[in-house]
Amino acid sequence: MLAIVLSAALLFLSLSASAGPTDPSKFDGTPYKPQKAMYDFNFAKPMDAMTAFGYVKNHLRAIKQYGDPKNSHLVIVAHGNELHAFSRLNRAAYPGMYEALKELKDAGVTIHICSNAARSRGYKPDEFYDVTTVVPAAVIDIAKWQNEGYSYMYAEWFPRLTREDVVKQHPELQ
């Protein structure tokens, strides 16, 4: 009996020892429970929000494919220079922004704008698109969502590198 146990242990160790850096990764498609997430938008450039919408849309797609869309909810709290693009006064400078915001709103995303940030940039609360809601302050709104169990998501835009870009930077990968 002891010989069988030792043989099994040796077999297990030899199989686990064979894993290495060339073995492929695994995919875990286990369904996710409902998602509650709050995205903190605070961008230097007004149109960076358009890029960040991609993160939110990707999150929505992932929820639809692997999660529970009926019981999930995403929130955006905006308090950076993206507010210029969220103002209906600036539609001519930022065409397409209303449609992008409306698409997110129609998908169930709540979009909040910090009134302090708006005021500091020269806007009144009623000068934003109707698909948004102006709240007293981003700091208390962010804390509110976190207190309600929402995950904090900071959407930061940066240039995306492809595998091809990495190979160009590291010729030894070719």
Side-chain angles (χ1 to χ4, degrees):
M1 181 68 172
L2 181 60
I4 294 173
V5 171
L6 286 175
S7 296
L10 286 173
L11 179 62
F12 174 76
L13 289 174
S14 68
L15 290 175
S16 63
S18 67
T22 60
D23 291 325
S25 57
K26 293 171 183 62
F27 177 75
D28 180 1
T30 305
Y32 285 82
K33 292 182 179 181
Q35 300 276 300
K36 295 186 333 182
M38 184 277 311
Y39 281 83
D40 181 356
F41 276 27
N42 183 15
F43 300 110
K45 298 176 186 171
M47 288 306 286
D48 284 351
M50 266 308 200
T51 304
F53 290 162
Y55 297 121
V56 177
K57 289 177 184 179
N58 188 46
H59 198 158
L60 289 168
R61 277 190 299 275
I63 290 170
K64 188 174 183 180
Q65 187 171 4
Y66 300 107
D68 181 357
K70 182 180 176 189
N71 296 303
S72 295
H73 182 226
L74 303 182
V75 177
I76 294 171
V77 178
H79 57 103
N81 287 326
E82 67 279 356
L83 298 187
H84 297 293
F86 291 8
S87 173
R88 58 189 175 77
L89 303 179
N90 302 328
R91 186 175 180 116
Y94 305 106
M97 183 56 73
Y98 177 78
E99 291 75 15
L101 288 166
K102 185 171 183 341
E103 179 184 351
L104 289 172
K105 176 79 171 178
D106 290 347
V109 177
T110 299
I111 305 162
H112 284 183
I113 292 174
C114 172
S115 66
N116 289 338
R119 186 175 49 257
S120 74
R121 287 167 176 79
Y123 298 100
K124 297 176 187 162
D126 65 350
E127 295 177 331
F128 295 93
Y129 290 122
D130 64 343
V131 294
T132 66
T133 301
V134 178
V135 296
V139 292
I140 61 172
D141 202 47
I142 290 169
K144 170 198 172 240
W145 293 110
Q146 287 185 295
N147 288 341
E148 291 181 13
Y150 281 66
S151 298
Y152 177 87
M153 310 292 282
Y154 186 76
E156 182 175 357
W157 187 85
F158 50 88
R160 184 176 304 247
L161 292 175
T162 65
R163 168 91 165 103
E164 185 178 293
D165 296 330
V166 173
V167 170
K168 285 179 187 174
Q169 293 173 8
H170 297 278
E172 67 274 16
L173 297 176
Q174 293 182 5

